[in-house]
Amino acid sequence: MGMWSLGLGAVGAALAGIFLANTDLCLPKAANASLGFLEEADLRCTLDNKVIKAKSLWDKNGAVVMAVRRPGFLCREEASELSSLKPQLEELGVPLVAVVKENLGSEIQDFRPHFAGDIYIDEEKRFYGPLQRRMGGLGFIRIGVWQNFIRAWKSGYQGNMNGEGFILGGVYVIGAGEQGILLEHQEKQFGDKVDTADVLKAIQKIVPAK
């Protein structure tokens, strides 16, 4: 009877843990970034190794910036959807760029076919802050995460699981000059994509610098 009770207790604890992991209580706390925090980031171009200040990306016409959690299949899906906006972005003169945390093996090269913009390395991880959000092993028992995995897999996206993938990313639409951050989408869990309709609405608010 004692072993049976212990077994039931263990099952109950496991079920409670799974339930808790699928509530918002386990989602990492977020803090909105400021324009001043982002614009001073040193970004290294993955083509020529040149280092620029992030501010130069959006100073004239604004920019759409994707902070890539890991260049794997979930981020490739979101990158492809953002790249579908390239005609509208080009019409408005708004650049589309991505930042990654590291450059491992051929990851960035394999990511390029899915992203229609320049890619930079954010070694300071400013675009992942100011309060870095991490999702560890609990993320793999979240129903929403598995739904995102299945959605991306059914859409034909593949990729490896190399490198740091627990610091969550996001997407920013930043106005020209001092206009500020017009949209900040912070990834809440693995595969939480930005709504491209929201990105379009935000870029239409950009006022080019004179």
Side-chain angles (χ1 to χ4, degrees):
M1 187 65 179
M3 293 297 293
W4 177 251
S5 298
L6 286 174
L8 285 177
V11 171
L15 291 175
I18 293 172
F19 173 79
L20 185 62
N22 280 278
T23 67
D24 289 347
L25 293 174
C26 282
L27 293 178
K29 303 299 181 184
N32 291 331
S34 68
L35 184 64
F37 180 78
L38 296 178
E39 65 186 7
E40 289 302 314
D42 290 320
L43 302 178
R44 185 178 300 279
C45 181
T46 56
L47 290 176
D48 58 14
N49 218 34
K50 181 181 178 181
V51 176
I52 65 167
K53 286 293 184 183
K55 182 179 181 180
S56 65
L57 295 174
W58 59 77
D59 217 19
K60 294 182 178 179
N61 294 303
V64 177
V65 183
M66 177 183 180
V68 180
R69 177 176 55 81
R70 175 195 280 137
F73 68 106
L74 288 176
C75 289
R76 291 178 185 182
E77 180 189 29
E78 184 173 30
S80 295
E81 292 185 5
L82 285 172
S83 296
S84 71
L85 304 179
K86 189 69 172 178
Q88 293 96 316
L89 293 171
E90 288 183 338
E91 185 177 347
L92 296 171
V94 178
L96 173 66
V97 300
V99 297
V100 297
K101 301 188 294 292
E102 55 192 353
N103 186 3
L104 295 177
S106 64
E107 276 192 338
I108 292 178
Q109 199 62 31
D110 295 340
F111 185 70
R112 290 191 190 280
H114 304 278
F115 189 74
D118 293 330
I119 303 173
Y120 295 84
I121 301 173
D122 178 13
E123 294 172 345
E124 299 173 306
K125 301 182 180 65
R126 288 206 177 207
F127 283 85
Y128 301 86
L131 179 62
Q132 288 184 7
R133 294 156 291 110
R134 294 175 179 267
M135 173 158 282
L138 281 179
F140 294 102
I141 57 174
R142 285 184 64 85
I143 294 173
V145 170
W146 281 101
Q147 289 174 333
N148 293 339
F149 283 159
I150 293 169
R151 181 198 66 225
W153 178 73
K154 285 185 175 180
S155 297
Y157 292 95
Q158 298 179 0
N160 61 54
M161 299 289 283
N162 296 332
E164 200 290 315
F166 293 115
I167 297 177
L168 299 173
V171 173
Y172 302 84
V173 177
I174 305 175
E178 299 300 316
Q179 192 178 359
I181 300 171
L182 304 177
L183 172 68
E184 180 176 359
H185 168 79
Q186 297 187 348
E187 188 181 23
K188 294 180 179 179
Q189 61 182 6
F190 304 145
D192 175 28
K193 301 183 299 179
V194 69
D195 189 331
T196 52
D198 291 338
V199 175
L200 280 175
K201 289 177 183 177
I203 63 174
Q204 290 165 0
K205 297 177 183 177
I206 295 175
V207 180
K210 296 181 179 179

